[in-house]
Coordinates of all heavy atoms in Angstrom, one line a residue:
M92 N 0.9 -1.2 0.0 CA 0.0 0.0 0.0 C 0.9 1.2 0.0 O 2.0 1.2 0.6 CB -0.9 0.0 1.2 CG -2.0 1.1 1.2 SD -3.1 1.1 2.6 CE -4.0 -0.4 2.3
D93 N 0.4 2.3 -0.6 CA 1.2 3.5 -0.7 C 1.3 4.2 0.7 O 0.3 4.3 1.4 CB 0.5 4.4 -1.7 CG 1.4 5.6 -2.1 OD1 2.3 6.0 -1.3 OD2 1.1 6.2 -3.2
S94 N 2.5 4.7 1.0 CA 2.7 5.3 2.3 C 1.8 6.6 2.5 O 1.7 7.0 3.7 CB 4.2 5.6 2.5 OG 4.6 6.6 1.6
K95 N 1.3 7.2 1.5 CA 0.4 8.3 1.7 C -0.9 8.0 2.4 O -1.5 8.8 2.9 CB 0.2 9.0 0.3 CG -0.8 8.2 -0.6 CD -1.0 9.0 -1.9 CE -1.9 8.1 -2.8 NZ -2.1 8.8 -4.1
H96 N -1.2 6.7 2.4 CA -2.4 6.2 3.1 C -2.1 5.9 4.6 O -3.0 5.6 5.3 CB -2.9 4.9 2.4 CG -3.4 5.2 1.0 ND1 -4.4 6.0 0.6 CD2 -2.8 4.7 -0.2 CE1 -4.5 6.0 -0.7 NE2 -3.6 5.2 -1.2
F97 N -0.9 6.0 5.0 CA -0.5 5.6 6.4 C -1.2 6.5 7.4 O -1.6 5.9 8.4 CB 1.0 5.5 6.6 CG 1.4 4.9 7.9 CD1 1.3 3.5 8.0 CD2 1.7 5.7 9.0 CE1 1.7 2.9 9.3 CE2 2.0 5.1 10.2 CZ 2.0 3.7 10.3
P98 N -1.2 7.8 7.3 CA -1.9 8.6 8.3 C -3.3 8.2 8.6 O -3.7 8.1 9.8 CB -1.8 10.0 7.7 CG -0.6 10.0 6.9 CD -0.6 8.6 6.2
A99 N -4.1 7.9 7.6 CA -5.5 7.4 7.8 C -5.5 6.0 8.5 O -6.3 5.8 9.4 CB -6.2 7.3 6.5
F100 N -4.6 5.1 8.1 CA -4.4 3.8 8.7 C -4.1 4.0 10.2 O -4.7 3.3 11.0 CB -3.3 3.0 8.0 CG -3.0 1.7 8.6 CD1 -3.7 0.6 8.3 CD2 -1.9 1.6 9.5 CE1 -3.4 -0.6 8.9 CE2 -1.6 0.4 10.1 CZ -2.3 -0.7 9.7
Y101 N -3.2 4.9 10.5 CA -2.8 5.1 11.9 C -4.0 5.6 12.7 O -4.2 5.1 13.8 CB -1.6 6.2 11.9 CG -1.3 6.6 13.3 CD1 -0.4 5.9 14.0 CD2 -1.8 7.7 13.8 CE1 0.0 6.2 15.3 CE2 -1.4 8.1 15.1 CZ -0.5 7.4 15.8 OH -0.2 7.8 17.1
R102 N -4.7 6.6 12.2 CA -5.8 7.1 12.9 C -6.9 6.1 13.2 O -7.5 6.1 14.2 CB -6.4 8.3 12.2 CG -5.6 9.6 12.3 CD -6.3 10.8 11.7 NE -6.7 10.6 10.3 CZ -5.9 10.9 9.3 NH1 -4.7 11.4 9.5 NH2 -6.3 10.8 8.0
K103 N -7.1 5.2 12.2 CA -8.1 4.2 12.3 C -7.7 3.1 13.4 O -8.6 2.6 14.0 CB -8.2 3.5 10.9 CG -9.3 2.4 10.9 CD -9.4 1.9 9.5 CE -10.4 0.7 9.4 NZ -10.5 0.2 8.0
H104 N -6.5 2.9 13.6 CA -6.1 1.7 14.4 C -5.3 2.1 15.7 O -5.2 1.2 16.6 CB -5.2 0.8 13.6 CG -5.9 0.1 12.5 ND1 -6.8 -0.8 12.6 CD2 -5.8 0.4 11.1 CE1 -7.3 -1.2 11.4 NE2 -6.7 -0.4 10.5
V105 N -4.9 3.3 15.9 CA -4.0 3.6 17.0 C -4.7 3.3 18.4 O -4.0 2.8 19.3 CB -3.4 5.0 16.9 CG1 -4.5 6.1 17.1 CG2 -2.3 5.2 17.9
K106 N -5.9 3.8 18.5 CA -6.6 3.6 19.8 C -6.8 2.1 20.2 O -6.6 1.7 21.3 CB -7.9 4.3 19.9 CG -7.7 5.8 19.9 CD -9.1 6.5 19.9 CE -8.9 8.0 19.9 NZ -10.2 8.7 19.8
K107 N -7.1 1.3 19.2 CA -7.3 -0.1 19.4 C -6.0 -0.8 19.8 O -6.0 -1.7 20.7 CB -7.9 -0.8 18.1 CG -9.3 -0.3 17.8 CD -9.7 -0.9 16.4 CE -10.9 -0.2 15.8 NZ -11.2 -0.6 14.5
I108 N -5.0 -0.5 19.1 CA -3.7 -1.1 19.4 C -3.2 -0.7 20.8 O -2.6 -1.5 21.5 CB -2.6 -0.8 18.3 CG1 -3.1 -1.4 16.9 CG2 -1.2 -1.2 18.7 CD1 -3.2 -2.9 17.0
Y109 N -3.3 0.6 21.1 CA -2.9 1.1 22.4 C -3.7 0.3 23.5 O -3.1 -0.2 24.5 CB -3.2 2.6 22.6 CG -3.0 3.0 24.0 CD1 -1.7 3.2 24.5 CD2 -4.0 3.3 24.8 CE1 -1.5 3.6 25.8 CE2 -3.8 3.7 26.2 CZ -2.5 3.8 26.6 OH -2.3 4.2 27.9
R110 N -5.0 0.1 23.4 CA -5.8 -0.6 24.4 C -5.3 -2.1 24.4 O -5.3 -2.6 25.5 CB -7.3 -0.5 24.1 CG -7.9 0.8 24.4 CD -9.4 0.8 24.4 NE -9.9 0.4 23.0 CZ -10.3 1.3 22.1 NH1 -10.2 2.6 22.3 NH2 -10.7 0.9 20.9
F111 N -5.1 -2.7 23.3 CA -4.6 -4.0 23.2 C -3.3 -4.2 24.1 O -3.2 -5.1 24.9 CB -4.4 -4.4 21.8 CG -3.7 -5.7 21.6 CD1 -4.4 -6.9 21.6 CD2 -2.3 -5.8 21.2 CE1 -3.8 -8.1 21.4 CE2 -1.7 -7.0 21.0 CZ -2.4 -8.2 21.1
L112 N -2.4 -3.3 23.8 CA -1.1 -3.3 24.5 C -1.2 -2.9 26.0 O -0.6 -3.6 26.9 CB -0.1 -2.5 23.8 CG 0.3 -2.9 22.4 CD1 1.0 -1.8 21.7 CD2 1.1 -4.2 22.4
Y113 N -2.0 -1.9 26.3 CA -2.2 -1.4 27.7 C -2.8 -2.6 28.6 O -2.3 -2.8 29.7 CB -3.2 -0.3 27.6 CG -3.5 0.3 29.0 CD1 -2.7 1.2 29.6 CD2 -4.7 0.0 29.7 CE1 -3.0 1.8 30.8 CE2 -5.0 0.5 30.9 CZ -4.1 1.4 31.5 OH -4.4 2.0 32.7
Y114 N -3.7 -3.3 28.1 CA -4.3 -4.4 28.8 C -3.2 -5.5 29.1 O -3.2 -6.0 30.2 CB -5.5 -5.0 28.0 CG -6.0 -6.3 28.7 CD1 -6.8 -6.2 29.8 CD2 -5.8 -7.5 28.1 CE1 -7.4 -7.3 30.4 CE2 -6.3 -8.7 28.7 CZ -7.1 -8.5 29.8 OH -7.6 -9.7 30.4
R115 N -2.4 -5.7 28.1 CA -1.4 -6.8 28.3 C -0.2 -6.4 29.1 O 0.6 -7.3 29.5 CB -1.0 -7.3 26.9 CG -2.1 -8.3 26.4 CD -2.1 -8.3 24.9 NE -3.2 -9.2 24.5 CZ -4.5 -8.9 24.4 NH1 -4.9 -7.7 24.8 NH2 -5.4 -9.7 24.0
V116 N 0.0 -5.1 29.3 CA 1.1 -4.7 30.2 C 0.6 -4.2 31.6 O 1.2 -3.4 32.2 CB 2.0 -3.6 29.5 CG1 2.7 -4.2 28.3 CG2 1.3 -2.4 29.2
Q117 N -0.5 -4.8 32.0 CA -1.2 -4.5 33.3 C -1.3 -3.0 33.6 O -1.1 -2.6 34.7 CB -0.4 -5.2 34.4 CG -0.5 -6.7 34.4 CD 0.4 -7.4 33.4 OE1 1.5 -7.0 33.2 NE2 -0.1 -8.5 32.8
G118 N -1.7 -2.3 32.6 CA -2.1 -0.9 32.8 C -0.9 0.1 32.9 O -1.0 1.2 33.4
N119 N 0.3 -0.4 32.5 CA 1.5 0.5 32.5 C 1.4 1.5 31.3 O 1.7 1.1 30.2 CB 2.7 -0.3 32.5 CG 4.0 0.5 32.6 OD1 4.0 1.7 32.2 ND2 5.0 -0.1 33.1
K120 N 0.8 2.7 31.6 CA 0.5 3.6 30.5 C 1.7 4.0 29.7 O 1.7 3.9 28.4 CB -0.1 4.9 31.1 CG -0.4 5.9 30.2 CD -1.0 7.2 30.8 CE -1.3 8.3 29.8 NZ -1.6 9.5 30.4
E121 N 2.8 4.3 30.3 CA 4.0 4.7 29.6 C 4.6 3.6 28.7 O 5.0 3.8 27.6 CB 5.1 5.2 30.5 CG 4.8 6.5 31.2 CD 3.9 6.3 32.4 OE1 3.7 5.2 33.0 OE2 3.2 7.3 32.8
F122 N 4.6 2.4 29.2 CA 5.1 1.3 28.5 C 4.2 1.0 27.3 O 4.6 0.7 26.2 CB 5.2 0.0 29.4 CG 6.0 -1.1 28.8 CD1 7.1 -0.9 27.9 CD2 5.6 -2.4 29.0 CE1 7.8 -2.0 27.4 CE2 6.3 -3.5 28.5 CZ 7.4 -3.3 27.7
A123 N 2.9 1.1 27.5 CA 1.9 0.8 26.4 C 2.1 1.9 25.3 O 2.0 1.6 24.1 CB 0.5 0.8 27.0
E124 N 2.3 3.1 25.7 CA 2.5 4.2 24.7 C 3.8 4.0 23.9 O 3.8 4.1 22.7 CB 2.6 5.6 25.4 CG 1.3 6.0 26.0 CD 1.4 7.3 26.9 OE1 2.6 7.7 27.2 OE2 0.4 7.8 27.3
D125 N 4.9 3.6 24.6 CA 6.1 3.3 23.9 C 5.9 2.1 22.9 O 6.4 2.2 21.8 CB 7.2 2.9 24.9 CG 7.7 4.2 25.7 OD1 7.4 5.3 25.3 OD2 8.4 4.0 26.7
L126 N 5.3 1.1 23.4 CA 5.1 -0.1 22.5 C 4.2 0.3 21.3 O 4.5 -0.2 20.2 CB 4.4 -1.2 23.3 CG 5.2 -1.9 24.4 CD1 4.4 -2.9 25.2 CD2 6.4 -2.7 23.7
T127 N 3.2 1.1 21.5 CA 2.3 1.5 20.5 C 3.1 2.3 19.4 O 3.0 2.1 18.2 CB 1.2 2.4 21.0 OG1 0.4 1.6 21.9 CG2 0.2 2.8 19.9
Q128 N 4.0 3.2 19.9 CA 4.8 3.9 19.0 C 5.7 3.0 18.2 O 5.9 3.1 16.9 CB 5.7 4.9 19.7 CG 6.6 5.7 18.9 CD 7.4 6.7 19.7 OE1 7.2 7.0 20.8 NE2 8.4 7.3 19.0
D129 N 6.3 2.0 18.8 CA 7.2 1.1 18.2 C 6.4 0.3 17.1 O 6.9 0.0 16.0 CB 7.8 0.1 19.2 CG 8.8 0.8 20.1 OD1 9.2 1.9 19.9 OD2 9.1 0.1 21.2
V130 N 5.2 -0.2 17.5 CA 4.4 -1.0 16.5 C 4.1 -0.2 15.3 O 4.3 -0.7 14.1 CB 3.1 -1.4 17.2 CG1 2.1 -1.9 16.2 CG2 3.4 -2.5 18.3
F131 N 3.8 1.1 15.4 CA 3.4 1.9 14.2 C 4.7 2.3 13.4 O 4.6 2.4 12.2 CB 2.5 3.0 14.6 CG 1.1 2.6 14.7 CD1 0.6 2.3 16.0 CD2 0.3 2.4 13.6 CE1 -0.7 1.9 16.1 CE2 -1.0 2.0 13.8 CZ -1.5 1.7 15.0
M132 N 5.8 2.4 14.1 CA 7.0 2.6 13.3 C 7.4 1.4 12.5 O 7.8 1.5 11.3 CB 8.2 2.9 14.3 CG 8.1 4.3 14.9 SD 8.0 5.6 13.7 CE 9.6 5.5 12.9
K133 N 7.2 0.2 13.1 CA 7.4 -1.0 12.3 C 6.4 -1.2 11.1 O 6.8 -1.6 10.0 CB 7.3 -2.3 13.2 CG 8.4 -2.5 14.1 CD 8.3 -3.7 14.9 CE 9.5 -4.0 15.8 NZ 9.5 -5.3 16.4
A134 N 5.2 -0.8 11.4 CA 4.2 -0.9 10.4 C 4.5 0.1 9.2 O 4.3 -0.2 8.1 CB 2.8 -0.6 11.0
L135 N 4.9 1.3 9.6 CA 5.3 2.3 8.6 C 6.4 1.8 7.7 O 6.4 1.9 6.4 CB 5.7 3.6 9.2 CG 6.1 4.7 8.2 CD1 5.0 5.1 7.3 CD2 6.5 6.0 9.0
K136 N 7.4 1.2 8.3 CA 8.5 0.6 7.5 C 8.1 -0.5 6.6 O 8.7 -0.7 5.5 CB 9.6 0.1 8.4 CG 10.4 1.2 9.1 CD 11.4 0.7 10.1 CE 12.1 1.9 10.9 NZ 13.0 1.3 11.9
A137 N 7.1 -1.2 7.0 CA 6.6 -2.4 6.2 C 5.4 -2.1 5.4 O 4.9 -3.0 4.7 CB 6.4 -3.6 7.1
F138 N 4.9 -0.9 5.4 CA 3.6 -0.5 4.8 C 3.6 -0.8 3.3 O 2.5 -1.2 2.8 CB 3.3 0.9 5.1 CG 1.8 1.2 5.1 CD1 0.9 0.6 5.9 CD2 1.3 2.2 4.2 CE1 -0.4 0.9 5.9 CE2 -0.1 2.4 4.1 CZ -0.9 1.8 5.0
D139 N 4.7 -0.6 2.6 CA 4.7 -0.8 1.2 C 4.6 -2.3 0.8 O 4.2 -2.7 -0.3 CB 5.9 -0.2 0.5 CG 7.2 -0.8 1.1 OD1 7.3 -1.3 2.2 OD2 8.2 -0.8 0.3
R140 N 4.8 -3.2 1.8 CA 4.7 -4.6 1.6 C 3.4 -5.2 2.1 O 3.1 -6.4 1.9 CB 5.9 -5.3 2.3 CG 7.2 -5.0 1.8 CD 8.3 -5.8 2.3 NE 8.3 -5.9 3.8 CZ 9.0 -5.2 4.6 NH1 9.8 -4.2 4.1 NH2 8.9 -5.4 5.9
Y141 N 2.5 -4.3 2.7 CA 1.2 -4.8 3.1 C 0.4 -5.3 2.0 O 0.2 -4.6 1.0 CB 0.5 -3.6 3.9 CG -0.9 -3.9 4.1 CD1 -1.3 -4.9 5.0 CD2 -1.9 -3.2 3.4 CE1 -2.7 -5.2 5.2 CE2 -3.3 -3.4 3.7 CZ -3.6 -4.4 4.5 OH -5.0 -4.7 4.8
D142 N -0.1 -6.5 2.1 CA -1.0 -7.1 1.1 C -2.4 -6.7 1.4 O -3.0 -7.1 2.4 CB -0.8 -8.6 1.0 CG -1.6 -9.3 0.0 OD1 -2.3 -8.6 -0.8 OD2 -1.5 -10.5 -0.1
E143 N -3.1 -6.0 0.5 CA -4.4 -5.5 0.7 C -5.4 -6.7 0.8 O -6.6 -6.4 1.2 CB -4.8 -4.5 -0.3 CG -4.0 -3.2 -0.2 CD -4.4 -2.1 -1.1 OE1 -5.6 -2.0 -1.4 OE2 -3.5 -1.5 -1.7
K144 N -5.0 -7.9 0.4 CA -5.9 -9.0 0.6 C -6.1 -9.4 2.0 O -7.0 -10.1 2.4 CB -5.4 -10.2 -0.2 CG -5.3 -9.9 -1.7 CD -4.7 -11.1 -2.4 CE -4.4 -10.8 -3.9 NZ -3.6 -11.8 -4.5
T145 N -5.1 -9.0 2.8 CA -5.1 -9.3 4.3 C -5.9 -8.2 5.0 O -5.8 -7.0 4.7 CB -3.7 -9.4 4.8 OG1 -2.9 -10.3 4.0 CG2 -3.6 -9.7 6.3
S146 N -6.6 -8.6 6.0 CA -7.3 -7.6 6.9 C -6.3 -6.6 7.5 O -5.2 -7.0 8.0 CB -8.0 -8.3 8.0 OG -8.3 -7.5 9.0
E147 N -6.6 -5.3 7.4 CA -5.7 -4.3 8.1 C -5.6 -4.6 9.5 O -4.5 -4.5 10.1 CB -6.3 -2.9 7.9 CG -6.2 -2.3 6.6 CD -6.8 -0.9 6.5 OE1 -7.3 -0.4 7.5 OE2 -6.8 -0.3 5.4
S148 N -6.7 -4.9 10.2 CA -6.6 -5.2 11.6 C -5.8 -6.4 11.9 O -5.0 -6.4 12.9 CB -8.1 -5.4 12.2 OG -8.8 -4.3 12.1
A149 N -5.9 -7.5 11.2 CA -5.1 -8.7 11.4 C -3.6 -8.4 11.3 O -2.8 -8.8 12.1 CB -5.5 -9.8 10.5
W150 N -3.3 -7.6 10.3 CA -1.9 -7.2 10.0 C -1.3 -6.4 11.2 O -0.2 -6.8 11.7 CB -1.8 -6.5 8.7 CG -0.5 -6.2 8.2 CD1 0.5 -7.1 7.7 CD2 0.2 -4.9 8.2 NE1 1.6 -6.4 7.4 CE2 1.5 -5.1 7.7 CE3 -0.2 -3.6 8.5 CZ2 2.4 -4.0 7.5 CZ3 0.6 -2.5 8.4 CH2 1.9 -2.7 7.8
I151 N -2.0 -5.4 11.6 CA -1.4 -4.5 12.7 C -1.4 -5.2 14.0 O -0.5 -5.1 14.8 CB -2.1 -3.1 12.7 CG1 -1.3 -2.1 13.5 CG2 -3.5 -3.2 13.2 CD1 0.0 -1.8 13.0
Y152 N -2.5 -6.0 14.3 CA -2.5 -6.8 15.5 C -1.4 -7.8 15.6 O -0.8 -8.1 16.6 CB -3.8 -7.4 15.8 CG -4.8 -6.5 16.4 CD1 -5.8 -5.9 15.7 CD2 -4.8 -6.3 17.8 CE1 -6.8 -5.0 16.3 CE2 -5.8 -5.5 18.4 CZ -6.7 -4.8 17.6 OH -7.6 -4.0 18.2
T153 N -1.1 -8.4 14.4 CA 0.0 -9.4 14.4 C 1.4 -8.7 14.7 O 2.2 -9.2 15.4 CB 0.1 -10.1 13.0 OG1 -1.1 -10.8 12.8 CG2 1.3 -11.0 12.9
I154 N 1.6 -7.5 14.1 CA 2.8 -6.8 14.4 C 2.8 -6.4 15.9 O 3.9 -6.6 16.6 CB 2.8 -5.5 13.6 CG1 3.0 -5.8 12.1 CG2 4.0 -4.6 14.1 CD1 2.9 -4.6 11.2
A155 N 1.7 -6.0 16.5 CA 1.6 -5.6 17.9 C 1.9 -6.8 18.8 O 2.7 -6.8 19.7 CB 0.3 -5.0 18.2
R156 N 1.3 -8.0 18.5 CA 1.5 -9.2 19.3 C 2.9 -9.6 19.2 O 3.6 -9.9 20.3 CB 0.6 -10.3 18.8 CG 0.6 -11.5 19.7 CD 0.0 -12.7 19.1 NE 0.9 -13.2 18.0 CZ 0.5 -13.5 16.7 NH1 -0.8 -13.3 16.4 NH2 1.3 -13.9 15.8
N157 N 3.5 -9.7 18.0 CA 4.9 -10.1 17.9 C 5.9 -9.1 18.6 O 6.8 -9.6 19.2 CB 5.3 -10.3 16.4 CG 4.6 -11.4 15.8 OD1 4.1 -12.3 16.5 ND2 4.5 -11.4 14.5
H158 N 5.6 -7.9 18.5 CA 6.5 -6.9 19.2 C 6.4 -7.1 20.7 O 7.4 -7.0 21.4 CB 6.1 -5.5 18.8 CG 7.0 -4.4 19.3 ND1 8.3 -4.4 19.0 CD2 6.8 -3.5 20.2 CE1 8.9 -3.4 19.6 NE2 8.0 -2.8 20.4
L159 N 5.2 -7.3 21.2 CA 5.1 -7.5 22.6 C 5.8 -8.7 23.1 O 6.5 -8.7 24.1 CB 3.6 -7.5 23.0 CG 3.2 -7.7 24.5 CD1 3.8 -6.5 25.2 CD2 1.7 -7.7 24.6
I160 N 5.7 -9.8 22.3 CA 6.4 -11.0 22.7 C 7.9 -10.8 22.7 O 8.6 -11.3 23.6 CB 6.0 -12.2 21.7 CG1 4.6 -12.6 21.8 CG2 7.0 -13.3 21.8 CD1 4.1 -13.5 20.7
N161 N 8.4 -10.0 21.7 CA 9.8 -9.7 21.7 C 10.3 -8.8 22.8 O 11.5 -8.8 23.1 CB 10.2 -9.2 20.3 CG 10.1 -10.2 19.2 OD1 10.2 -11.4 19.4 ND2 9.9 -9.7 18.0
E162 N 9.4 -8.1 23.4 CA 9.8 -7.2 24.5 C 9.9 -8.0 25.7 O 10.5 -7.8 26.7 CB 8.8 -6.1 24.7 CG 8.9 -5.0 23.6 CD 10.2 -4.2 23.7 OE1 10.7 -3.8 24.8 OE2 10.8 -4.1 22.6

C-alpha cells in the first residue's frame, strides 16, 4: 500500500492497538505508549509490503502481538 495512506491507517487503528497493549502490560501507561509507537514505526517501515488481501486489523495486531512477545 502507498505510504500516503498511512496517516489514515494510523488514525483508524492507534486507539485499538494502544488498548490491546495497555491491557497486556497490566495498565502501565508509559510502556503501552512506547510499545504503540514502536508498533506503528514497524508498520510504517513495512507498509509498502502490506498485502491488501489481508485484513488491516489482522496485520497490525500481528505486528503488535509479535512486538510485545519480543519485548
Side-chain angles (χ1 to χ4, degrees):
M92 189 178 294
D93 191 337
S94 62
K95 70 181 178 181
H96 299 294
F97 190 78
F100 174 85
Y101 175 84
R102 286 188 301 273
K103 181 177 178 181
H104 297 285
V105 68
K106 290 180 183 178
K107 296 174 193 173
I108 295 301
Y109 172 76
R110 285 191 302 264
F111 172 80
L112 295 167
Y113 180 81
Y114 175 75
R115 281 154 182 80
V116 296
Q117 289 80 38
N119 185 331
K120 181 181 176 189
E121 292 80 18
F122 191 37
E124 290 170 350
D125 289 345
L126 290 172
T127 301
Q128 179 179 349
D129 294 344
V130 166
F131 280 96
M132 289 302 296
K133 286 183 176 190
L135 178 59
K136 288 178 184 176
F138 203 61
D139 61 333
R140 296 188 312 265
Y141 167 67
D142 182 1
E143 294 183 41
K144 296 175 191 170
T145 305
S146 160
E147 287 181 359
S148 293
W150 185 71
I151 194 66
Y152 276 100
T153 299
I154 294 171
R156 186 194 72 231
N157 289 342
H158 184 66
L159 184 60
I160 290 169
N161 290 335
E162 284 295 313

